Structures are given as structure tokens and as C-alpha cells.
Amino acid sequence: MSAIDALPPLREVIATHGLSARKSLGQNFLLDLNLTAKIARQAGDLTGADVLEVGPGPGGLTRGLLAEGARRVLAIEKDERCLPALTEIAQAYPGRLQVLSGDALEIDPLAHLTPPIHVVANLPYNVGTELLTRWLDPPDWPPFWQSLTLMFQREVAERIVARPGSKAYGRLSVLAQWRTDARIVMELPPEAFTPPPKIRSAVVHLTRLEEPRYPADPAVLFRIVAAAFNQRRKMLRAALKGQAPDIEDRLVAAGIKPTQRAEEISVEQFCALARQMSG
Ligand code: SAM
């Protein structure tokens, strides 16, 4: 296995800095630098781009991103024990790695980034879903990022890319597919991580669309999508009853049969319904 940089192997880094994995922080580390470089490549050409990395841990993916030519990496890490290891990487790549210590859910990284910006992360799954939802629903579109390359548990990755008619199709699918092209680009077995998690993982790559795929008011769209999937087994005329007194007429006007269920409705149809609700 060829080395991607002149820094010590990650097992040595972890031993030197006493980075025993903490469950409370969702720490499952990637220690194979060839694998982290491969994940970095899924983000596309990073030369000339800034990368926001959330949860760098001991820095395996960070090193992959830098070795693959990212102009700058801004990394946000909650576990202060990781900071000395990340400082060593910053010294090996002068001027190209900035580390912010803290909770990514509370830090606004924008002041530290220059477009074009790509987001790459191997995060604990609960934090990952929360951040994905925020990144997909910013106050203005297009957002600050060009693409998101994120590790999820496989089941969540499947929900993001699911098509209508499948069990996995839901709120997250509509949210992602309305404003991005989303695909699963890599699958990883538990053994790829230290310690190995119980589940399989997958990397999802989402590229932003400059305009949403179909016109709709985001607040209205997300409200009806949430209501529809909250009662996904019910017919839409029942699931959306509270949304408008004449919901059946509005469903028909949007080209949807009131007896259909949420999982049968395409993103285009949800957008048509959102326009009917706004009108
Ligand atoms: N990126 C590293 C890798 O691939 O080996 C570490 C991945 S590990 C699954 C998740 C990392 O996210 C840990 O380093 C953990 O400390 C960090 N983390 C957890 N919650 C966080 C949060 N809210 N904000 C920033 N970092 C967080």
C-alpha cells in the first residue's frame, strides 16, 4: 500500500495521541488512507476549491482531501483530543488546513470559506442527517456549497436516493431530489472502520441544481411532504385533511388522485400540489 503523504500511519497517530474511540461522539474512524483518498475523489476535482469537513477526528479523510489537492480544508471537530493530531497535518500542509474546535451544529463556517466550496464528511449519523437537512433547506437557493459528499448508514443513503413507489421513499428523498442530483457513490462494510459499527455505510454525493427542479415555495412544499409522510399508509385525502378544507379539489388540480398514498407521489407532483396550496 503506497503512502499518500509523509505523515505517520493513522494507527500510530491514534496511539501517540491516545485517541480511543468514544461512542458518545459516534467515533468510528477510517484508518486506511487509500480508502480516505478514494472517498475524497468522490467529491470531484477539488483543486481550486475550499472544502468544509465536519468531524475530522484523527484526520484520515482530511489527509485524503489535502492529498487529492483541495485548495483549503476547513475542519470542524468537537473532540478536543483530536486537535494535536490535526495540528500536525496543518504543519505538513502549510496554509491549507484550518481547524475550528466545537460543535458543527452551532458553528457558522461561512466567514472562513471562499467559493467554490464542497462539503465532505464522515459524521455520526444523527448529526449527519440534521446537517444534511439544514444544508438542503437554507434561507436562499443556491446554497453556499457546490456539492455534499457524506457518509451515512446505508439505510439513510437509500432513503436519500429512493424513487417513488419504494419503501425507502420519503421526506428525505423529496428534500434531496428537489434541489440536487443525489447518488450513492460508494458502499463500505463495517470492517472499513475502527471500531467497526454494527451497520453497513454508504457515501452519498449530492450536486446542487442552480434552480430547484420544479417551482414551489419551500415552506409549503416541506409542510405538505412532512404531513403526507407522517401518515404514509393513509390516502392523501385523509393524511392532508388538516392542510386545507378543499384538499381533494387541490389534489385533483395538481394531477393527484385523492386516494393515492404519499409514497406514490413524485417530486414533480408534490411541487404541483405545493403550488396549488400556495395559490
Ligand atoms: N472523519 C474521521 C474519519 O473518517 O475517520 C472521523 C469520523 S467519526 C465517524 C465522526 C467524527 O465527528 C468524530 O471525530 C467526532 O468527534 C466528530 N463529531 C461528532 N459530533 C460532532 C459535532 N456535533 N460537530 C463536530 N464534530 C463532531
Side-chain angles (χ1 to χ4, degrees):
M1 218 181 270
S2 57
I4 65 163
D5 57 35
L7 288 156
L10 281 158
R11 280 191 198 283
E12 203 177 304
V13 172
I14 281 181
T16 308
H17 298 287
L19 299 178
S20 51
R22 289 201 177 143
K23 236 188 179 164
S24 60
L25 285 166
Q27 291 182 334
N28 301 98
F29 299 133
L30 290 166
L31 302 185
D32 176 347
L33 288 165
N34 289 296
L35 184 59
T36 62
K38 188 172 171 194
I39 295 169
R41 283 198 290 279
Q42 307 307 319
D45 182 7
L46 296 177
T47 53
D50 278 10
V51 175
L52 170 62
E53 187 195 357
V54 184
L61 185 53
T62 320
R63 286 164 64 175
L65 292 163
L66 290 162
E68 287 300 314
R71 176 177 64 196
R72 278 185 73 249
V73 176
L74 175 69
I76 305 178
E77 174 54 60
K78 192 172 175 180
D79 184 353
E80 289 183 2
R81 295 179 309 153
C82 298
L83 299 181
L86 296 168
T87 301
E88 284 171 10
I89 304 172
Q91 284 162 354
Y93 290 94
R96 290 178 59 201
L97 172 61
Q98 181 182 359
V99 180
L100 299 181
S101 174
D103 185 341
L105 293 169
E106 304 198 337
I107 291 176
D108 180 358
L110 273 190
H112 305 274
L113 292 161
T114 309
I117 300 160
H118 296 271
V119 179
V120 183
N122 171 22
L123 264 176
Y125 300 120
N126 54 344
V127 184
T129 314
E130 170 63 29
L131 284 172
L132 173 66
T133 309
R134 292 187 194 184
W135 286 327
L136 289 173
D137 189 21
D140 297 304
W141 195 269
F144 73 89
W145 49 269
Q146 306 282 326
S147 76
L148 308 172
T149 305
L150 308 171
M151 181 88 69
F152 286 105
Q153 69 190 84
R154 211 188 121 115
E155 183 208 314
V156 175
E158 280 170 359
R159 279 167 41 204
I160 295 169
V161 304
R163 299 295 178 196
S166 66
K167 273 209 173 119
Y169 184 65
R171 199 179 139 262
L172 208 49
S173 327
V174 178
L175 186 62
Q177 294 169 38
W178 181 44
R179 300 203 269 208
T180 75
D181 279 323
R183 49 199 182 93
I184 293 178
V185 288
M186 263 178 89
E187 297 198 13
L188 289 93
E191 315 80 76
F193 301 85
T194 304
K198 290 205 176 70
I199 35 84
R200 290 181 67 81
S201 303
V203 178
V204 184
H205 181 67
L206 304 101
T207 317
R208 78 176 193 196
L209 302 176
E210 291 310 305
E211 293 279 337
R213 210 173 286 280
Y214 312 102
D217 176 323
V220 178
L221 176 64
F222 297 149
R223 193 184 72 228
I224 57 170
V225 168
F229 283 105
N230 264 347
Q231 303 189 70
R232 59 186 296 144
R233 277 175 225 288
K234 285 199 175 168
M235 293 178 188
L236 286 173
R237 68 177 173 211
L240 297 180
K241 206 163 119 196
Q243 299 296 315
D246 55 349
I247 190 64
E248 291 210 25
D249 294 343
R250 294 189 195 231
L251 283 162
V252 172
I256 299 169
K257 287 192 199 126
T259 52
Q260 286 187 284
R261 292 174 170 79
E263 67 186 36
E264 299 170 84
I265 307 304
S266 66
V267 176
E268 184 173 11
Q269 287 175 305
F270 272 122
C271 290
L273 180 59
R275 292 195 299 275
Q276 288 299 327
M277 301 301 280
S278 304

